[in-house]
Amino acid sequence: GRGVIRVGLVGQGITASLTPPMHEAEAAALGLAYEYRIFDLLDLGVPAERVGRILEEARESGFAAMNITHPCKQLVFDIVESLDDDAARLGAVNLVVFADGRLVGYNTDWIGYRDGLVAGLAGASFERVVQIGCGGAGAATAYALLSHGTAHLVLTDADVDRAEELTERMRPHFPGQVVETVQPGRLEAAIRTATGVVHATPMGMLHHPGVAFDVGLLQPAAWVSDVVYRPLETALVREATRRGHAVLDGGLMAVGQACASLQIITGANPDRARMERHFRAL
Ligand code: NAD
């Protein structure tokens, strides 16, 4: 009805997403009339390229904003009429706000990831970080890692072009820091000398079993961060924890992006700790 803030999530295969309950529970706790709806491209039977049309329809029917997820984050980057500075630099959009009828793009994945680094890896060394996976999530983690002061960031992806594109995109914004691509064949050597490793591919999800690198190659003091959050305990998280490494699972990033999105959409001040407790109980 009138006065209800309506928000959606558009992406592929997202019917079981935890983002709607996260938003709705926190909005209710804040006393907001708020509805969060899923637009799954698979259910709608439309290709990702139609995301612009879906955003247009949402705007026309009075939605306040739309979160964007795989595989649309880079497509929407090209569609929006105006971009938040950080989203413009990192090259992906996961939130579109309809402001005076205009589509304004934001990226809250990087905020969520940065807040997760601060909360979950305090005291860790960011001298030499290796990141595996340079897609939508990887753009956000790379930007957060560099914003957080990573001195040397090594980017790698099974699709070397994606790693090179992200390297080229990041370099101009962090001139005092080193950003480089390594070929997948040189990953082992990079892992051996890393102070931390960030995993940003879908490996560890139900339909992508396995671990993307040999955890046994890590230095004892190296930390490990996984962006996968379904499940929270991936084979990587389990193996790195078993070997005694400091580990950051994908949960804080997931909570943090929802918290930052809710804040931008409503102007209210969500309680991140309360959102995290709720999320971990879902
Ligand atoms: P994506 O498809 O955009 O990017 C994945 C990248 O990984 C691709 O570039 C692909 O080439 C690369 N890749 C795949 N397997 C690889 C391997 N074995 N070695 C090296 N590179 C490999 O996907 P995405 O949107 O970036 O999502 C990746 C994961 O991040 C998913 O599990 C997603 O659920 C998760 N994610 C988590 C959060 C969070 O808040 N925690 C946010 C966004 C995405």
Side-chain angles (χ1 to χ4, degrees):
R2 236 165 225 288
V4 177
I5 302 168
R6 286 193 297 149
V7 180
L9 172 66
V10 58
Q12 223 164 51
I14 53 172
T15 41
S17 169
L18 300 179
T19 300
M22 268 200 278
H23 276 250
E24 287 184 339
E26 183 59 19
L30 294 166
L32 300 168
Y34 192 94
E35 278 172 19
Y36 196 102
R37 220 187 107 184
I38 295 265
F39 294 82
D40 192 324
L41 297 167
L42 294 179
D43 291 344
L44 297 170
V46 298
E49 290 65 33
R50 282 281 298 276
V51 65
R53 188 81 207 98
I54 292 169
L55 291 178
E56 209 41 61
E57 284 167 11
R59 186 182 65 76
E60 282 163 14
S61 56
F63 275 69
M66 296 282 276
N67 275 131
I68 314 297
T69 190
H70 182 84
C72 300
K73 289 178 185 180
Q74 273 121 354
L75 287 168
V76 171
F77 178 82
D78 295 325
I79 289 172
V80 292
E81 291 152 314
S82 128
L83 276 167
D84 157 76
D85 287 348
D86 295 306
R89 286 193 276 262
L90 79 82
V93 161
N94 79 324
L95 172 65
V96 172
V97 174
F98 304 119
D100 302 324
R102 286 167 57 80
L103 278 62
V104 185
Y106 294 86
N107 188 297
T108 62
D109 284 329
W110 88 272
I111 300 172
Y113 189 68
R114 182 213 47 207
D115 291 351
L117 289 178
V118 172
L121 286 175
S125 168
F126 289 84
E127 266 313 300
R128 193 177 169 86
V129 178
V130 173
Q131 176 179 309
I132 305 167
C134 297
T141 56
Y143 187 72
L145 287 161
L146 290 161
S147 299
H148 189 61
T150 295
H152 188 141
L153 180 62
V154 174
L155 296 174
T156 179
D157 194 294
D159 178 345
V160 180
D161 289 345
R162 298 199 90 174
E164 273 166 1
E165 278 167 30
L166 186 57
T167 298
E168 295 309 317
R169 181 175 276 285
M170 291 298 120
R171 268 186 187 144
H173 305 304
F174 302 94
Q177 294 153 266
V178 179
V179 188
E180 65 169 340
T181 301
V182 299
Q183 308 287 321
R186 309 207 47 123
L187 178 60
E188 275 199 23
I191 298 283
R192 285 181 200 279
T193 56
T195 58
V197 176
V198 178
H199 171 253
T201 89
M203 279 188 86
M205 302 180 77
L206 188 58
H207 299 292
H208 302 271
V211 179
F213 68 98
D214 180 354
V215 181
L217 298 172
L218 288 169
Q219 294 179 20
W223 52 267
V224 170
S225 160
D226 200 343
V227 300
V228 173
Y229 67 103
R230 302 200 78 183
L232 279 171
E233 193 187 76
T234 57
L236 170 59
V237 165
R238 203 162 41 243
E239 177 66 5
T241 303
R242 191 181 67 76
R243 289 175 177 269
H245 297 284
V247 176
L248 182 67
D249 69 29
L252 288 182
M253 180 181 188
V255 172
Q257 61 80 19
C259 182
S261 294
L262 188 57
Q263 198 259 321
I264 291 168
I265 295 164
T266 65
N269 202 359
D271 181 337
R272 187 158 54 99
R274 179 167 61 194
M275 291 185 78
E276 188 186 351
R277 285 194 299 277
H278 175 243
F279 170 77
R280 298 216 182 249
L282 281 173

